[in-house]
Amino acid sequence: MSSRSNNGIGMELGECIHNTGFHEVDKPEDAAAGDSESRCSMPPDGQLDAYTQIKPYAGMPKEVLLLYSHQARYRLPREILFWLIIVSTLALVGLTIAVIALSPACLSWWQSSPIYQIYPRSFKDSDGDGVGDLKGITEKLQHIEFLNIKAVWISPFYKSPMKDFGYDVEDFRDIDPIFGTMQDFDHLLAAMHDKGLKLIMDFIPNHTSDKHSWFNLSRSGHEHYKDYYIWAPCNSTRPPNNWVSVFGNSSWTYVEDRKQCYYHQFLKEQPDLNFRNPNVRREMTEIVRFWLEKGVDGFRMDALKHMLEAKHLRDEPQVDPLQDPETIDTEFELHHDYTTTQLGLHDILRDWRVEMDVYSREPGRYRVMITESYDYEEIEKTMMYYGTPYVKESDIPFNFYLLDLPTNLTGDGAQGLVNLWMTNMPAGKWPNWVVGNHDKPRISSSAGLDYIRVINMLLLTLPGTPTTYYGEEIGMENINVTVDQIQDPFGKFNPNSSRDPQRSPMQWSSEPNAGFSDSNTTWLPLHPNYTTVNVEAQQKDSGSVLAQYRAMSLLREMEPSLQRGWMCYVWSDANVFVFLREMDGLDKAFLVVLNFGQDSVLNLSNVKELPEWLTVRMSTRPENDGKMLEKSSIATALGEGLLMEYSTEVRFNPGHASQCFVSEKACYLKALDIMYKC
């Protein structure tokens, strides 16, 4: 027998012992007595089973609960449920680990979005002086959003005497008043981040302005700064060697104060820094940190191949050994064995990459490093900026080879330029494509208006990151600049090489000055077609260049095959360049047919991986959108691009390995609607 006291009320559990203090409510005494007798009935043998003497009831004490909890009918379900929970939890953890382990890395922001280049002098003038500025960019951020672009590269806005429009930097930690103030920059950066946009700055490490405080101290012979630049013995009539500036003539300028010449690979107002001086490297690294602390999302690093020179200062070999040395005055007349891509250059860049990686640790704040070095036919030098399999360097070295498309305007020519990059790019690296910038003529002018749409389609359907120069999304053209209107220092040296025509103000509307400025004059003339070729007009036209650019940008973001799938060459000839984009496991794929020649009818019957009929998802001629085309008869007009969608379980890439490329291979698992490494 056991007993328990609770709140002074005794309860006894035993062999039929009466609790005289208990009375059921609303029951007469005789009924209660009868119930008591009934409960005290004994089995015939007089033995009471512990499990049957008392039945479970609400509020039962622990002693009763424990008696019943050990019964098999209660214990087994409990144990089964317990182990099911354990097994399910372990299975869920294991599945989560497997998904994480097998999932391909997410594309970073600089991979998933096109990059939009803004030349700040020409984008939007907010203060009426005829020159674009930072506040003007802030005012027009909704245009970037409209294009579905997340990354913006802004050309230099540092404090500068503007001899080369910002590429001659007087102070790396200040904003030139023509563009605004540091407060304007902070506001622009905050506004961009609020909208989910990323800001990439131009960084110009090779040289400074001759107005920079470092150079003034160096030319005066200050002990700490005297070797911040490249100085060599010379006299006022004879330079140290035959090295030639990018802008023409000798790259040496004599300074009477030091009785020496300083070296400049660009204008004489842009003296080259001496990166063999550890103090210079330390100073420039601090500048990188300064802007990263501000919150910028990356750098496009300019003119990197020029950063180091051979210490011996020997003459560079002539391209034509028979040419009179006295007549050499352009960079193309010398082999630049001693003034570009010198040993030690990539060590400097890797140090900067380490600095940027420190600031990339914050989730969602990866800092991108883009390098600029156009090495012409020596493309293997450009590829070195990707780094090695073990040492990271640039995320993408700018690919300028598509800038040559206007002089290779055929299907074969387009494929050749694309293939040049893809076959030389190290395995697993990310490609990128540039068709226009502030130094090259606009595509609408160099290739022709008939081809602007198809070139934009090429740019947005190739694998990798496309870069669009402001105005290309509406088909802006070069302007005509008279000799007395030339602003570009390169153009003043050689009017035929002026870069002003491609730098004209952005055409926002049909209002005076194209909505760019309220000033009576603008720093460069506007193209006279701004009344019809402008953002406002094209936003209202579903068939405009702008509308098609935006639709392609949205489609690129939506379709995994276009973002990170295989790119496989299918066909090229004098007229068309054809490739497809597909992803293993995904039954949707795209065939891209681009006409860079004349009207053409293409027969792809021999491509067994393609179905007989394909649907035109998008054409540069809107009237063809949605049409069904037979693969044996795909017609394209001059300058037309077709993005055709098809469904198939048969993949093209396994049987055509030499024609296919992928940077970060991923497969699609339909059952779970996920991508995985394969």
Side-chain angles (χ1 to χ4, degrees):
M1 180 177 67
S2 64
S3 65
R4 178 181 179 183
S5 177
N6 184 14
N7 295 331
I9 299 175
M11 291 188 65
E12 299 189 7
L13 303 175
E15 297 182 355
C16 231
I17 294 181
H18 295 281
N19 181 358
T20 57
F22 174 77
H23 294 281
E24 289 195 55
V25 179
D26 298 331
K27 279 210 174 190
E29 292 184 5
D30 56 345
D35 288 347
S36 180
E37 291 175 2
S38 173
R39 292 192 193 99
C40 291
S41 60
M42 304 270 300
D45 59 4
Q47 300 297 320
L48 183 67
D49 187 285
Y51 288 103
T52 61
Q53 64 174 328
I54 297 176
K55 294 181 180 180
Y57 58 90
M60 72 182 78
K62 182 172 71 172
E63 290 82 351
V64 177
L65 181 62
L66 290 174
L67 288 175
Y68 285 92
S69 66
H70 289 85
Q71 291 184 23
R73 59 178 172 172
Y74 297 114
R75 177 172 49 81
L76 288 177
R78 186 173 68 248
E79 291 181 355
I80 290 171
L81 185 60
F82 171 77
W83 287 111
L84 279 176
I85 292 172
I86 295 297
V87 171
S88 299
T89 302
L90 292 175
L92 185 59
V93 171
L95 180 62
T96 303
I97 293 172
V99 168
I100 293 172
L102 294 175
S103 294
C106 293
L107 296 182
S108 188
W109 56 267
W110 56 271
Q111 296 172 305
S112 60
S113 167
I115 295 173
Y116 188 82
Q117 183 192 354
I118 291 177
Y119 195 68
R121 296 181 70 89
S122 298
F123 198 62
K124 181 66 172 74
D125 171 24
S126 71
D127 57 10
D129 64 355
V131 180
D133 47 50
L134 297 180
K135 282 185 178 179
I137 297 174
T138 306
E139 290 176 11
K140 291 298 184 179
L141 289 180
Q142 74 274 11
H143 178 63
I144 311 299
E145 292 182 290
F146 178 79
L147 295 174
N148 192 44
I149 287 176
K150 307 295 191 298
V152 178
W153 156 36
I154 305 178
S155 294
F157 45 80
Y158 304 103
K159 186 177 181 182
S160 166
M162 295 295 164
K163 295 295 184 180
D164 191 16
F165 296 128
Y167 286 92
D168 51 322
V169 181
E170 181 178 345
D171 188 343
F172 284 102
R173 292 181 174 88
D174 201 2
I175 309 295
D176 194 88
I178 200 169
F179 298 124
T181 65
M182 187 62 78
Q183 185 178 6
D184 294 335
F185 171 80
D186 292 337
H187 180 63
L188 169 61
L189 183 60
M192 290 182 66
H193 286 171
D194 286 345
K195 295 177 181 292
L197 304 177
K198 305 292 186 179
L199 191 154
I200 302 169
M201 282 185 63
D202 244 329
F203 180 52
I204 304 110
N206 177 68
H207 50 264
T208 70
S209 165
D210 62 347
K211 303 300 182 185
H212 198 290
S213 59
W214 297 345
F215 186 73
N216 290 328
L217 291 166
S218 184
R219 72 186 297 162
S220 67
H222 187 286
E223 183 62 28
H224 181 73
Y225 292 98
K226 66 179 181 180
D227 292 327
Y228 264 47
Y229 297 84
I230 313 295
W231 295 91
C234 70
N235 58 51
S236 58
T237 59
R238 191 74 181 173
N241 55 34
N242 71 344
W243 295 357
V244 175
S245 161
V246 170
F247 287 108
N249 296 323
S250 175
S251 56
W252 295 95
T253 294
Y254 180 73
V255 173
E256 183 65 33
D257 292 347
R258 286 189 55 151
K259 300 290 191 293
Q260 287 182 310
C261 289
Y262 68 86
Y263 179 62
H264 50 89
Q265 296 216 43
F266 295 89
L267 296 173
K268 64 182 179 63
E269 292 87 358
Q270 295 170 291
D272 275 37
L273 286 164
N274 177 15
F275 274 92
R276 300 192 188 280
N277 183 336
N279 291 323
V280 171
R281 291 175 63 166
R282 192 158 40 247
E283 294 264 21
M284 297 307 284
T285 300
E286 285 299 321
I287 290 166
V288 169
R289 290 194 191 113
F290 173 82
W291 291 105
L292 291 175
E293 287 284 349
K294 281 255 175 210
V296 301
D297 300 289
F299 295 103
R300 176 264 192 187
M301 298 187 172
D302 181 68
L304 295 182
K305 69 178 182 180
H306 300 286
M307 281 175 55
L308 288 175
E309 302 76 29
K311 291 188 287 186
H312 54 63
L313 302 184
R314 291 199 288 264
D315 282 354
E316 290 191 310
Q318 297 179 192
V319 172
D320 178 6
L322 301 179
Q323 182 180 356
D324 181 358
E326 299 297 325
T327 65
I328 292 175
D329 62 359
T330 71
E331 62 169 334
F332 300 105
E333 294 171 306
L334 296 173
H335 294 293
H336 299 290
D337 296 345
Y338 307 141
T339 56
T340 63
T341 320
Q342 297 297 294
L343 188 64
L345 167 64
H346 291 278
D347 294 332
I348 299 172
L349 301 183
R350 288 164 191 159
D351 287 345
W352 289 342
R353 173 74 266 175
V354 170
E355 290 294 330
M356 296 180 72
D357 284 344
V358 170
Y359 289 86
S360 297
R361 293 172 184 167
E362 182 182 348
R365 292 303 310 276
Y366 184 80
R367 312 304 176 95
V368 70
M369 179 174 173
I370 302 172
T371 50
E372 186 265 330
S373 176
Y374 192 16
D375 294 291
Y376 301 97
E377 68 279 359
E378 297 180 299
I379 191 172
E380 66 280 357
K381 290 184 177 180
T382 302
M383 295 301 165
M384 291 173 64
Y385 291 90
Y386 274 118
T388 72
Y390 307 104
V391 182
K392 187 177 178 182
E393 199 169 315
S394 172
D395 291 296
I396 46 174
F398 258 153
N399 171 9
F400 292 131
Y401 291 92
L402 277 185
L403 293 171
D404 296 330
L405 187 57
T407 58
N408 295 271
L409 208 56
T410 66
D412 289 330
Q415 177 175 330
L417 294 173
V418 171
N419 196 51
L420 177 65
W421 189 270
M422 298 304 289
T423 55
N424 284 281
M425 183 178 68
K429 297 300 182 180
W430 191 257
N432 73 102
W433 313 95
V434 178
V435 297
N437 63 21
H438 59 288
D439 288 331
K440 297 293 181 181
R442 290 189 177 277
I443 286 294
S444 294
S445 298
S446 57
L449 283 171
D450 290 333
Y451 296 100
I452 181 63
R453 295 171 184 254
V454 72
I455 290 174
N456 278 340
M457 182 174 279
L458 170 70
L459 187 68
L460 292 169
T461 54
L462 285 171
T465 300
T467 297
T468 292
Y469 183 50
Y470 82 96
E472 303 287 5
E473 73 275 23
I474 61 172
M476 281 178 59
E477 299 176 68
N478 283 4
I479 59 171
N480 292 319
V481 179
T482 62
V483 173
D484 61 322
Q485 292 175 318
I486 290 176
Q487 304 288 325
D488 179 25
F490 205 13
K492 291 178 179 179
F493 173 74
N494 179 4
N496 293 326
S497 299
S498 174
R499 299 166 296 180
D500 289 331
Q502 59 264 26
R503 298 177 178 181
S504 62
M506 181 67 174
Q507 296 167 198
W508 294 107
S509 68
S510 59
E511 297 175 357
N513 291 331
F516 164 74
S517 174
D518 295 331
S519 173
N520 292 328
T521 59
T522 55
W523 81 282
L524 280 175
L526 286 142
H527 198 287
N529 70 3
Y530 77 83
T531 56
T532 55
V533 179
N534 61 69
V535 172
E536 186 180 87
Q538 293 196 16
Q539 283 182 339
K540 300 173 183 177
D541 180 3
S542 61
S544 66
V545 176
L546 176 62
Q548 290 187 353
Y549 184 98
R550 180 173 186 262
M552 282 299 310
S553 179
L554 289 166
L555 187 64
R556 180 183 181 274
E557 181 182 46
M558 290 166 48
E559 297 292 347
S561 299
L562 293 176
Q563 274 218 336
R564 62 187 307 162
W566 289 91
M567 187 273 284
C568 298
Y569 304 133
V570 175
W571 179 261
S572 72
D573 57 29
N575 295 312
V576 296
F577 172 32
V578 184
F579 59 92
L580 60 80
R581 303 298 310 278
E582 65 181 14
M583 176 175 282
D584 294 322
L586 193 63
D587 59 7
K588 182 195 292 186
F590 295 92
L591 183 72
V592 186
V593 180
L594 306 171
N595 188 312
F596 294 103
Q598 303 301 313
D599 295 359
S600 173
V601 178
L602 182 64
N603 183 355
L604 295 179
S605 297
N606 62 333
V607 184
K608 63 181 186 301
E609 293 87 357
L610 293 176
E612 289 301 317
W613 292 89
L614 304 98
T615 303
V616 178
R617 180 72 176 267
M618 185 180 297
S619 169
T620 56
R621 296 193 170 195
E623 64 270 18
N624 291 330
D625 288 355
K627 286 185 177 180
M628 295 287 292
L629 298 181
E630 195 171 3
K631 72 174 180 180
S632 61
S633 182
I634 301 175
T636 54
L638 177 150
E640 183 178 7
L642 296 175
L643 178 65
M644 292 183 286
E645 181 181 322
Y646 63 94
S647 296
T648 180
E649 297 296 333
V650 181
R651 299 273 74 82
F652 185 89
N653 69 82
H656 305 270
S658 63
Q659 298 170 232
C660 297
F661 303 89
V662 67
S663 292
E664 298 179 8
K665 187 178 179 184
C667 295
Y668 177 72
L669 182 60
K670 188 174 183 179
L672 297 178
D673 191 27
I674 61 170
M675 285 188 288
Y676 65 95
K677 295 176 185 175
C678 53

